[in-house]
């Protein structure tokens, strides 16, 4: 059974950094496209960053996080990371780790339970 477990969220002030971690198990992690999505209170889930395996750019970021966030993975440990620097109040939300056979889209097969990030001004 595929499982994704996020950690590393928290309450920080604007300008701070956080590093989110996603531990994967139950599937061949290295064969999946992976990514991060977030959901602000009262809003839809939106794309943050992803790493593609077979099509398109190897790494993609939402315009709003480009230059501040860095996505990376460690296939040996089945882990996905999101380094978030210079956090802004608009980065507040629940962050979800996703994995998919193809591109990690909103329709991805596997989702974590989410980790809360709150950025105060």
């Amino acid at each position: 059974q595929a499982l994704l477990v996020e950690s590393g969220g928290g309450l920080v002030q604007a300008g701070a950094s956080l590093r989110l971690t996603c531990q994967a198990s139950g599937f061949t992690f290295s064969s999946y496209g992976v990514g991060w999505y977030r959901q602000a209170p009262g809003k839809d889930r939106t794309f943050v960053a992803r790493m593609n395996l077979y099509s398109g750019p190897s790494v993609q970021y939402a315009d709003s996080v480009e230059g501040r966030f860095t996505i990376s993975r460690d296939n040996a440990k089945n882990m996905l990371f999101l380094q978030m620097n210079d956090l802004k109040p608009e980065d507040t939300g629940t962050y979800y780790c996703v994995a998919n056979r193809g591109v990690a889209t909103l329709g991805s097969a596997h989702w974590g339970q989410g980790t809360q990030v709150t950025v105060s001004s």
Side-chain angles (χ1 to χ4, degrees):
Q1 178 181 353
L3 186 64
L4 297 170
V5 180
E6 303 95 335
S7 61
L11 171 62
V12 297
Q13 291 189 330
S17 297
L18 281 174
R19 188 191 194 209
L20 304 185
T21 298
C22 174
Q23 179 69 63
S25 61
F27 63 102
T28 307
F29 179 74
S30 60
S31 298
Y32 280 65
V34 292
W36 292 93
Y37 283 75
R38 67 187 179 190
Q39 186 167 22
K43 297 187 176 181
D44 293 334
R45 291 184 184 183
T46 58
F47 166 71
V48 175
R50 62 180 166 226
M51 301 185 75
N52 303 315
L53 288 181
Y54 306 117
S55 62
S58 58
V59 178
Q60 293 178 290
Y61 295 97
D63 289 343
S64 60
V65 308
E66 181 86 53
R68 299 187 297 121
F69 290 13
T70 302
I71 187 173
S72 61
R73 68 192 297 172
D74 184 339
N75 287 336
K77 296 182 179 179
N78 291 343
M79 296 180 76
L80 178 68
F81 306 98
L82 185 68
Q83 177 65 43
M84 306 187 294
N85 297 330
D86 190 23
L87 282 160
K88 305 176 186 299
E90 52 264 40
D91 294 320
T92 293
T94 303
Y95 283 69
Y96 297 92
C97 168
V98 303
N100 201 40
R101 273 290 190 182
V103 178
T105 66
L106 278 170
S108 292
H110 307 307
W111 288 75
Q113 83 290 348
T115 186
Q116 179 66 36
V117 171
T118 303
V119 184
S120 63
S121 57

